[in-house]
Amino acid sequence: MNAFHTRRDFFGWSRGLLAAAGLASQTASLNAEPAPRPSVDEGEDYYDKLGVTKIINAAGTYTMFTASIMPPAVQAAVARAAKSPVRLAELQTKAGEYLAKRLRCEGAVVTAGAASALTLGTAACMTVANKSAPHDMPTDVAGHRNEVLVQKTHRYGYDHALRNCGIRFVEVETLADYEAAFNDRTLLAHFFNAAEHGQISREDWIRVAHKHGVPCFNDAAADVPPISNLWNYTQMGFDLVTFSGGKGIRGPQNAGLLLGRKDLIAAAVINNNPHDDCVGRGMKVAKEQIVGMVAAVDWFLSQTDEGMQAEFQRRADRITAHLKDVPTVTSQTFVPPVANQVPHLVIRYDQQRIRISPLDVAEQLRRDTPSIELNPATGRNEGSTGLPSDAGTIVVGVWMLEPGEDMIVARRLREVLTKAAAA
Ligand SMILES: *Cc1c(COP(=O)(O)O)cnc(C)c1O
């Protein structure tokens, strides 16, 4: 759907721009058409009412930028689900059964994001290994099986989601370390799918753990597309796999998928709301978002990898073409190897000729109206997993742009760079 697909949307947009420039009252009199009022169906614009700035997301599926926009069919399913109360447990169960079938795994549950799935999955393993676990976690687990094996290079900020269950990490580096690390306290073997380093392969990780009867968890939160990853890792043998709902799948931001072994998914459900005395009580996913997650999976499975990649490449190419004759500018599209595996546009230029740093370009685009957020790897060595960036690069994440926004980004980049070239 085009962002400017109706006159109303177009006028809504241009009024927003002009209002910001203090010109709204002037144009109101020039505009022959009466100002459109929001219909009841559209609802009131609470971003405007609250004074919250809407942004153009040229970054990617970042949590701080509210990740993704649900496709229109998903938005409609969410709005419709809001109209009827249901029994929460029944919705959770039936949504899970439907997802398991579509995603070719034994069991599934919609969680409040991938981080919540990490907690619920760990809680599930604790519950299968120790009967009183739902009540005991996280403070009363002394004496429980609670060691989680992990490669040293797979430690990350989301560790906290597992630690919420009272576990203790045990780090390994080599395959020999790993084989020697199993004991009667070992609960789980955790794997970070997009880790850039690590000596132990997925296959070895699973093989050795299963020899000891220990389940394996793979955090693949940001690792679609390709679409087939939604079943690749469970079929490879991981007992639990999580994906974020609000990233590439474009579901609600506070939803996610926990997929895997039937008994573990059942144990995850015991640790989830509507039950009270468990770690998952504060991880409620409302009926609207459960439905939104299921609808987003339906939408995502109706896409093709080729179709999505071609669309993202076309956006990158349009921006490249628009910057073609700006002095010294070169660009390249780059597809990160695991997480966010879609074309990103990486732009370089000679800062002797164009006298502005990429970080300052990002700041100018941020301050402008409409406000644009470039990929946070812009002007930095460290930003996004697997992206080749440094102090001299601008990175445009094109995949979360709404139709037409690629050219807004292209024009603003061209203006800022051209101005700095003349200075
Ligand atoms: C984004 C991400 C998460 C958290 O996902 P949410 O759905 O925001 O909870 C967890 N792990 C990894 C590797 C991620 O990239």
Side-chain angles (χ1 to χ4, degrees):
M1 186 173 78
N2 193 292
F4 297 154
H5 78 298
T6 62
R7 281 177 76 75
R8 167 171 297 172
D9 278 5
F10 176 75
F11 284 115
W13 180 251
S14 47
R15 275 203 329 277
L17 293 183
L18 296 166
L23 296 170
S25 54
Q26 257 171 282
T27 46
S29 56
L30 297 175
N31 189 345
E33 201 167 295
R37 288 176 194 284
S39 72
V40 174
D41 283 343
E42 271 181 316
E44 181 156 13
D45 188 331
Y46 269 85
Y47 295 139
D48 286 354
K49 189 168 186 169
L50 299 171
V52 172
T53 306
K54 292 174 209 161
I55 61 175
I56 289 180
N57 181 359
T61 59
Y62 292 88
T63 293
M64 63 185 160
F65 302 135
T66 62
S68 62
I69 292 291
M70 292 182 280
V74 178
Q75 292 184 24
V78 168
R80 188 151 188 175
K83 294 178 195 290
S84 309
V86 294
R87 294 182 180 86
L88 183 56
E90 182 192 2
L91 175 59
Q92 288 171 341
T93 303
K94 289 188 174 156
E97 286 167 0
Y98 181 87
L99 288 169
K101 214 170 281 163
R102 292 230 64 188
L103 302 179
R104 312 178 195 183
C105 54
E106 285 182 20
V109 59
V110 175
T111 63
S116 150
L118 293 173
T119 304
L120 288 180
T122 306
C125 296
M126 286 279 258
T127 304
V128 167
N130 314 277
K131 267 213 156 55
S132 63
H135 168 80
D136 294 347
M137 286 182 279
T139 50
D140 303 316
V141 296
H144 286 347
R145 229 182 217 266
N146 72 343
E147 289 183 3
V148 176
L149 300 182
V150 65
Q151 296 187 64
K152 196 171 180 175
T153 49
H154 288 213
R155 297 298 302 269
Y156 58 174
Y158 299 105
D159 285 351
H160 208 117
L162 291 91
R163 286 170 49 222
N164 282 344
C165 297
I167 60 94
R168 197 171 76 76
F169 279 107
V170 175
E171 290 181 0
V172 299
E173 289 185 74
T174 65
L175 185 56
D177 285 349
Y178 181 47
E179 289 184 311
F182 287 84
N183 61 41
D184 59 7
R185 311 266 302 161
T186 308
L187 178 74
L188 171 66
H190 186 54
F191 198 94
F192 170 24
N193 197 53
E196 289 182 280
H197 306 283
Q199 300 179 34
I200 309 172
S201 69
R202 294 179 185 85
E203 289 78 7
D204 283 342
W205 195 253
I206 296 166
R207 180 179 54 78
V208 176
H210 285 179
K211 203 165 76 190
H212 294 275
V214 168
C216 293
F217 203 149
N218 190 6
D219 177 356
D223 305 345
V224 291
I227 295 166
S228 58
N229 275 357
L230 288 173
W231 46 87
N232 285 342
Y233 301 119
T234 44
Q235 296 198 343
M236 187 182 282
F238 281 102
D239 304 274
L240 291 168
V241 178
T242 181
F243 295 94
S244 182
K247 293 183 179 171
I249 305 171
R250 292 182 58 188
Q253 191 185 14
N254 66 341
L257 298 171
L258 179 63
L259 310 176
R261 243 168 62 189
K262 205 167 183 150
D263 62 323
L264 290 174
I265 296 299
V269 166
I270 290 171
N271 287 281
N272 197 14
N273 57 84
H275 306 294
D276 293 336
D277 188 10
C278 56
V279 289
R281 181 59 181 85
M283 300 178 180
K284 197 187 299 165
V285 191
K287 59 186 178 304
E288 295 83 358
Q289 278 74 44
I290 294 176
V291 167
M293 185 73 253
V294 176
V297 166
D298 276 344
W299 173 82
F300 194 59
L301 295 181
S302 76
Q303 305 295 300
T304 64
D305 291 329
E306 300 71 33
M308 287 190 285
Q309 299 292 329
E311 169 58 24
F312 304 147
Q313 187 64 51
R314 277 193 295 273
R315 296 174 191 179
D317 290 346
R318 278 194 291 266
I319 297 172
T320 298
H322 201 69
L323 298 177
K324 201 176 62 182
D325 54 353
V326 182
T328 79
V329 167
T330 58
S331 63
Q332 167 205 11
T333 48
F334 183 84
V335 180
V338 184
N340 308 308
Q341 202 184 108
V342 291
H344 288 64
L345 184 62
V346 179
I347 300 167
R348 294 174 189 280
Y349 54 90
D350 179 355
Q351 286 185 53
Q352 301 298 325
R353 289 286 307 282
I354 299 183
R355 296 183 159 275
I356 184 169
S357 72
L359 279 175
D360 287 338
V361 171
E363 188 53 31
Q364 289 212 13
L365 266 57
R366 183 175 297 126
R367 284 198 194 152
D368 205 18
T369 303
S371 178
I372 297 168
E373 284 293 345
L374 295 174
N375 186 283
T378 296
R380 293 195 176 91
N381 292 327
E382 290 177 20
S384 226
T385 330
L387 277 172
S389 66
D390 55 48
T393 49
I394 292 173
V395 182
V396 186
V398 294
W399 65 317
M400 290 297 131
L401 293 170
E402 289 289 287
E405 290 180 344
D406 51 358
M407 287 312 296
I408 300 176
V409 174
R411 281 193 288 271
R412 280 302 291 146
L413 280 173
R414 187 186 165 89
E415 273 167 32
V416 170
L417 294 173
T418 306
K419 196 168 154 222

